[in-house]
PDB file of all heavy atoms in Angstrom:
ATOM      1  N   THR A  14     160.358  55.738 104.572  1.00  0.00           N
ATOM      2  CA  THR A  14     159.959  55.260 105.843  1.00  0.00           C
ATOM      3  C   THR A  14     160.412  53.749 106.017  1.00  0.00           C
ATOM      4  O   THR A  14     160.292  52.950 105.155  1.00  0.00           O
ATOM      5  CB  THR A  14     158.436  55.219 106.049  1.00  0.00           C
ATOM      6  OG1 THR A  14     158.040  56.527 105.686  1.00  0.00           O
ATOM      7  CG2 THR A  14     157.869  54.824 107.323  1.00  0.00           C
ATOM      8  N   ARG A  15     160.990  53.445 107.151  1.00  0.00           N
ATOM      9  CA  ARG A  15     161.565  52.121 107.536  1.00  0.00           C
ATOM     10  C   ARG A  15     160.660  51.378 108.558  1.00  0.00           C
ATOM     11  O   ARG A  15     160.170  52.181 109.534  1.00  0.00           O
ATOM     12  CB  ARG A  15     162.902  52.182 107.927  1.00  0.00           C
ATOM     13  CG  ARG A  15     163.826  52.868 107.037  1.00  0.00           C
ATOM     14  CD  ARG A  15     164.853  52.060 106.472  1.00  0.00           C
ATOM     15  NE  ARG A  15     165.695  52.774 105.525  1.00  0.00           N
ATOM     16  CZ  ARG A  15     166.116  52.395 104.334  1.00  0.00           C
ATOM     17  NH1 ARG A  15     165.821  51.209 103.965  1.00  0.00           N
ATOM     18  NH2 ARG A  15     166.880  53.137 103.634  1.00  0.00           N
ATOM     19  N   ASP A  16     160.514  50.219 108.534  1.00  0.00           N
ATOM     20  CA  ASP A  16     159.932  49.387 109.584  1.00  0.00           C
ATOM     21  C   ASP A  16     160.773  49.072 110.674  1.00  0.00           C
ATOM     22  O   ASP A  16     161.848  48.453 110.428  1.00  0.00           O
ATOM     23  CB  ASP A  16     159.219  48.137 108.900  1.00  0.00           C
ATOM     24  CG  ASP A  16     158.341  47.399 109.861  1.00  0.00           C
ATOM     25  OD1 ASP A  16     158.021  47.895 110.997  1.00  0.00           O
ATOM     26  OD2 ASP A  16     157.929  46.321 109.627  1.00  0.00           O
ATOM     27  N   THR A  17     160.524  49.525 111.948  1.00  0.00           N
ATOM     28  CA  THR A  17     161.504  49.098 112.891  1.00  0.00           C
ATOM     29  C   THR A  17     161.776  47.614 113.279  1.00  0.00           C
ATOM     30  O   THR A  17     162.728  47.335 113.785  1.00  0.00           O
ATOM     31  CB  THR A  17     161.043  49.864 114.265  1.00  0.00           C
ATOM     32  OG1 THR A  17     159.728  49.416 114.557  1.00  0.00           O
ATOM     33  CG2 THR A  17     161.103  51.373 113.991  1.00  0.00           C
ATOM     34  N   VAL A  18     160.660  46.896 112.955  1.00  0.00           N
ATOM     35  CA  VAL A  18     160.811  45.334 113.054  1.00  0.00           C
ATOM     36  C   VAL A  18     161.888  44.794 112.294  1.00  0.00           C
ATOM     37  O   VAL A  18     162.669  44.030 112.537  1.00  0.00           O
ATOM     38  CB  VAL A  18     159.472  44.813 112.777  1.00  0.00           C
ATOM     39  CG1 VAL A  18     159.549  43.203 112.814  1.00  0.00           C
ATOM     40  CG2 VAL A  18     158.345  45.118 113.823  1.00  0.00           C
ATOM     41  N   ASP A  19     162.005  45.327 111.052  1.00  0.00           N
ATOM     42  CA  ASP A  19     163.089  44.976 110.111  1.00  0.00           C
ATOM     43  C   ASP A  19     164.407  45.389 110.583  1.00  0.00           C
ATOM     44  O   ASP A  19     165.473  44.664 110.321  1.00  0.00           O
ATOM     45  CB  ASP A  19     162.867  45.514 108.639  1.00  0.00           C
ATOM     46  CG  ASP A  19     161.683  44.927 107.949  1.00  0.00           C
ATOM     47  OD1 ASP A  19     161.224  43.869 108.360  1.00  0.00           O
ATOM     48  OD2 ASP A  19     161.234  45.684 107.098  1.00  0.00           O
ATOM     49  N   LEU A  20     164.402  46.519 111.297  1.00  0.00           N
ATOM     50  CA  LEU A  20     165.786  47.010 111.840  1.00  0.00           C
ATOM     51  C   LEU A  20     166.275  46.158 112.983  1.00  0.00           C
ATOM     52  O   LEU A  20     167.470  46.120 113.313  1.00  0.00           O
ATOM     53  CB  LEU A  20     165.747  48.481 112.267  1.00  0.00           C
ATOM     54  CG  LEU A  20     165.703  49.443 110.939  1.00  0.00           C
ATOM     55  CD1 LEU A  20     165.498  50.874 111.579  1.00  0.00           C
ATOM     56  CD2 LEU A  20     166.823  49.258 110.200  1.00  0.00           C
ATOM     57  N   GLU A  21     165.435  45.611 113.640  1.00  0.00           N
ATOM     58  CA  GLU A  21     165.917  44.814 114.954  1.00  0.00           C
ATOM     59  C   GLU A  21     166.020  43.319 114.611  1.00  0.00           C
ATOM     60  O   GLU A  21     166.487  42.583 115.506  1.00  0.00           O
ATOM     61  CB  GLU A  21     164.893  45.033 116.107  1.00  0.00           C
ATOM     62  CG  GLU A  21     163.447  44.352 115.884  1.00  0.00           C
ATOM     63  CD  GLU A  21     162.647  44.711 117.066  1.00  0.00           C
ATOM     64  OE1 GLU A  21     162.505  45.781 117.478  1.00  0.00           O
ATOM     65  OE2 GLU A  21     162.064  43.716 117.657  1.00  0.00           O
ATOM     66  N   LYS A  22     165.876  42.892 113.448  1.00  0.00           N
ATOM     67  CA  LYS A  22     166.053  41.485 113.122  1.00  0.00           C
ATOM     68  C   LYS A  22     167.487  40.942 113.250  1.00  0.00           C
ATOM     69  O   LYS A  22     167.741  39.932 113.710  1.00  0.00           O
ATOM     70  CB  LYS A  22     165.555  41.141 111.593  1.00  0.00           C
ATOM     71  CG  LYS A  22     164.126  41.048 111.384  1.00  0.00           C
ATOM     72  CD  LYS A  22     163.814  40.762 110.069  1.00  0.00           C
ATOM     73  CE  LYS A  22     162.332  40.772 109.917  1.00  0.00           C
ATOM     74  NZ  LYS A  22     161.896  40.528 108.424  1.00  0.00           N
ATOM     75  N   GLY A  23     168.380  41.872 112.996  1.00  0.00           N
ATOM     76  CA  GLY A  23     169.853  41.407 113.103  1.00  0.00           C
ATOM     77  C   GLY A  23     170.384  41.311 114.484  1.00  0.00           C
ATOM     78  O   GLY A  23     171.281  40.534 114.821  1.00  0.00           O
TER      79      GLY A  23
END
Side-chain angles (χ1 to χ4, degrees):
T14 304
R15 308 244 182 220
D16 189 7
T17 57
V18 175
D19 293 338
L20 289 178
E21 68 181 52
K22 283 183 182 174

